[in-house]
């Protein structure tokens, strides 16, 4: 291969690692190794998959007796405790156009999802005397911060998130909004604030996506303009949503791995990953970006756009979905001592666990659909996750450990878990 050909191949690798098909293919290749008992950190017990499917189906019936399951999206967390906070905010926007409401939803959703990485066991947000912890607490805190204009640079338009407002966020202002204090520590606070400032810089860098206002909500217009062509007129493929999210927000992630001068984001090394493919030894996940895409897709559909190919995106490799498979015995650590101490997110065992989680979510989804009598089109993975594996992972963790802590503890910098 010539030097020019080598440079061209390297330049193409970031796009390959952002493709959800690559995420799924490499995850299933890791599962195939597990089936041969050839992974260094986990044993697979495939006979336990039926147990997992039974457990998830039972959780779905408990949570959604009518089986009308929404997507696994940030909007569920805004309704923590049965209080429709987004609905209350939306009622204040009745004089706005449908397009502007969609932009506001994008503004809110992006900052909220990017601030969602694990809060830690000791933090909670207090609202009207009620303490709300973990993802729901982070969602409620971010919604309150959004409503007060924390992310807007225009005091006459507080309900937006733009580069000017985001660039001013520091640990002190974010900590105050999230009620952080000596008795209420939030993991990764500095990382979250840095992520918001980096987000502001990313908006300014891409006026073609975020407009001259450098506003998150203009991503809605960018995506809406891409609906209407191709084989399905008026449709927007889900992979296009993810591609825009990954392209537009690529610069915000902390510098970890890069290829061709591009920051890869949620991509990690494992020696057994894709040895025969371009970019060998790398496992992409893009967990927050995919969850964000699921959340934005709901807003797009509510605005009247038709999104297709939802199951081209993958399951989310985080500690609730991954914990489900450990706690139900589908996966077993070869070295139980790994569960005794927090592990960095780049630890080979964590990377392996996340890859297996992506592939096993596909497998368990098939069993759940069979038990509930749905096709994949009727119950896409986004509904299985919500109904679902994430809720089941939280439930089994509470059954097994005080406080519902996950079976593996991952040290978060506020940008992955």
């Amino acid at each position: 291969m010539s030097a020019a050909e080598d440079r061209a191949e390297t330049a193409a690798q970031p796009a390959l690692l952002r493709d959800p098909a690559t995420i799924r293919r490499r995850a299933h290749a890791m599962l195939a190794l597990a089936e041969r008992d050839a992974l260094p950190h986990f044993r697979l017990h495939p006979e336990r998959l039926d147990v997992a499917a039974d457990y998830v189906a039972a959780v779905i019936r408990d949570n959604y007796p009518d089986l009308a399951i929404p997507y696994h999206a940030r909007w569920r967390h805004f309704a923590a405790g049965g209080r429709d906070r987004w609905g209350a905010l939306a009622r204040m926007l009745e004089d706005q156009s449908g397009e502007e409401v969609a932009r506001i939803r994008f503004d809110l959703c992006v900052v909220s999802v990017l601030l969602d990485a694990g809060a830690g066991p000791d933090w909670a947000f207090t609202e009207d005397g009620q303490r709300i912890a973990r993802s729901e607490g982070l969602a409620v805190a971010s919604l309150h911060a959004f409503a007060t204009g924390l992310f807007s640079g225009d005091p006459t338009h507080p309900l937006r998130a733009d580069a000017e407002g985001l660039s001013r966020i520091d640990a002190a202002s974010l900590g105050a909004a999230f009620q952080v204090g000596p008795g209420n520590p939030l993991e990764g606070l500095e990382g979250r604030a840095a992520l918001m400032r980096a987000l502001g810089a990313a908006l300014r860098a891409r006026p073609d996506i975020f407009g001259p206002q450098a506003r998150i909500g203009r991503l809605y217009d960018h995506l809406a303009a891409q609906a209407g062509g191709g084989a399905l007129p008026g449709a927007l493929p889900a992979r296009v949503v993810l591609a825009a999210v990954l392209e537009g927000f690529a610069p915000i992630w902390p510098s970890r791995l890069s290829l061709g001068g591009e920051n890869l984001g949620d991509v990690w090394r494992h020696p057994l990953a894709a040895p025969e493919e371009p970019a060998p030894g790398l496992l992409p996940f893009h967990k927050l970006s995919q969850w964000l895409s699921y959340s934005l897709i709901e807003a797009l559909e509510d605005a009247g756009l038709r999104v297709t190919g939802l199951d081209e995106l993958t399951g989310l490799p985080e500690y609730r979905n991954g914990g489900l498979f450990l706690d139900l015995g589908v996966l077993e650590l070869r070295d139980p001592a790994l569960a005794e101490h927090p592990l960095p997110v780049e630890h080979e065992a964590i990377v392996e666990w996340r890859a297996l989680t992506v592939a096993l979510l596909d497998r368990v989804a098939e069993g759940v659909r069979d038990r509930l009598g749905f096709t994949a089109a009727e119950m896409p993975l986004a509904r299985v996750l919500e109904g679902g594996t994430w809720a089941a992972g939280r439930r089994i963790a509470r059954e097994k450990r005080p406080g519902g802590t996950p079976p593996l503890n991952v040290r978060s910098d506020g940008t992955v878990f």
Side-chain angles (χ1 to χ4, degrees):
M1 180 182 293
S2 69
E5 290 171 330
D6 185 61
R7 286 194 299 271
E9 180 177 310
T10 299
Q13 289 174 3
L16 173 74
L17 293 169
R18 292 173 184 159
D19 187 342
T22 303
I23 300 172
R24 178 168 273 117
R25 182 175 64 254
R26 294 193 177 194
H28 278 273
M30 294 294 286
L31 180 59
L33 290 174
E35 290 172 329
R36 300 200 299 271
D37 198 27
L39 288 180
H41 297 289
F42 289 92
R43 294 186 182 90
L44 174 70
H45 299 285
E47 71 280 1
R48 299 288 298 175
L49 269 171
D50 281 341
V51 174
D54 287 338
Y55 190 88
V56 174
V59 169
I60 288 175
R61 290 190 180 99
D62 287 346
N63 290 345
Y64 297 97
D66 59 1
L67 299 182
I69 309 165
Y71 294 155
H72 186 59
R74 192 55 161 168
W75 310 102
R76 311 288 82 74
H77 293 159
F78 293 137
R83 181 173 172 181
D84 186 7
R85 297 171 185 82
W86 162 248
L89 189 60
R91 285 191 287 275
M92 299 168 57
L93 306 174
E94 292 178 350
D95 61 336
Q96 301 287 339
S97 68
E99 291 80 6
E100 180 60 16
V101 171
R103 294 182 194 111
I104 291 170
R105 291 186 75 175
F106 270 51
D107 288 327
L108 168 61
C109 191
V110 169
V111 294
S112 185
V113 166
L114 294 180
L115 288 168
D116 182 70
D122 301 318
W123 177 86
F125 185 79
T126 300
E127 179 191 60
D128 299 332
Q130 297 292 319
R131 283 174 57 84
I132 311 169
R134 300 195 178 272
S135 285
E136 289 88 346
L138 292 167
V140 173
S142 62
L143 187 145
H144 280 279
F146 180 79
T148 63
L150 179 65
F151 309 105
S152 174
D154 183 352
T156 65
H157 294 90
L159 299 183
R160 67 171 53 177
D162 54 39
E164 186 173 347
L166 291 162
S167 66
R168 296 197 299 255
I169 292 176
D170 57 17
S173 60
L174 191 64
F178 280 61
Q179 302 174 349
V180 175
N184 197 36
L186 177 64
E187 287 187 1
L189 178 61
E190 292 281 359
R192 292 170 208 268
L195 192 64
M196 292 294 99
R197 295 192 298 272
L199 175 58
L203 301 181
R204 286 197 176 101
R206 294 301 301 263
D208 56 319
I209 297 176
F210 302 110
Q213 295 174 316
R215 176 187 174 186
I216 292 171
R218 286 295 170 180
L219 177 59
Y220 166 78
D221 302 87
H222 177 75
L223 290 169
Q226 297 181 67
L232 292 172
L236 181 68
R239 67 177 182 277
V240 172
V241 179
L242 177 61
V245 166
L246 289 171
E247 183 181 359
F249 301 134
I252 74 176
W253 307 113
S255 296
R256 299 186 184 104
L257 300 178
S258 62
L259 274 174
E262 291 196 47
N263 187 3
L264 296 181
D266 189 7
V267 178
W268 308 91
R269 296 192 186 280
H270 193 288
L272 300 181
E276 305 300 326
E277 291 190 26
L282 295 178
L283 284 169
F285 299 116
H286 305 303
K287 176 260 177 180
L288 276 175
S289 295
Q290 293 207 76
W291 188 41
L292 175 55
S293 297
Y294 284 131
S295 302
L296 296 180
I297 285 166
E298 184 168 328
L300 287 163
E301 291 184 341
D302 287 347
L305 291 172
R306 184 159 58 99
V307 180
T308 60
L310 197 60
D311 271 355
E312 291 186 28
L313 306 188
T314 76
L316 304 182
E318 45 75 55
Y319 62 84
R320 290 304 182 200
N321 288 322
L324 174 74
F325 297 116
L326 272 172
D327 280 337
L328 291 178
V330 179
L331 295 176
E332 178 190 5
L333 276 168
R334 292 186 186 276
D335 179 7
L338 288 174
E340 296 175 3
H341 305 285
L343 299 176
V345 69
E346 69 271 16
H347 192 286
E348 187 178 289
I350 300 300
V351 177
E352 191 171 302
W353 180 41
R354 297 183 75 197
L356 292 170
T357 296
V358 170
L360 289 170
L361 285 169
D362 283 342
R363 293 277 183 90
V364 83
E366 295 172 2
V368 169
R369 293 177 188 125
D370 287 344
R371 285 157 176 77
L372 298 178
F374 286 105
T375 65
E378 293 166 337
M379 184 179 280
L381 190 56
R383 300 192 198 279
V384 177
L385 295 172
E386 175 59 28
T389 56
W390 188 88
R394 171 178 277 187
R395 180 180 293 187
I396 191 66
R398 286 174 173 165
E399 292 173 2
K400 284 184 168 286
R401 287 171 296 278
T405 56
L408 276 178
N409 189 1
V410 183
R411 283 202 300 270
S412 173
D413 65 358
T415 64
V416 177
F417 281 92

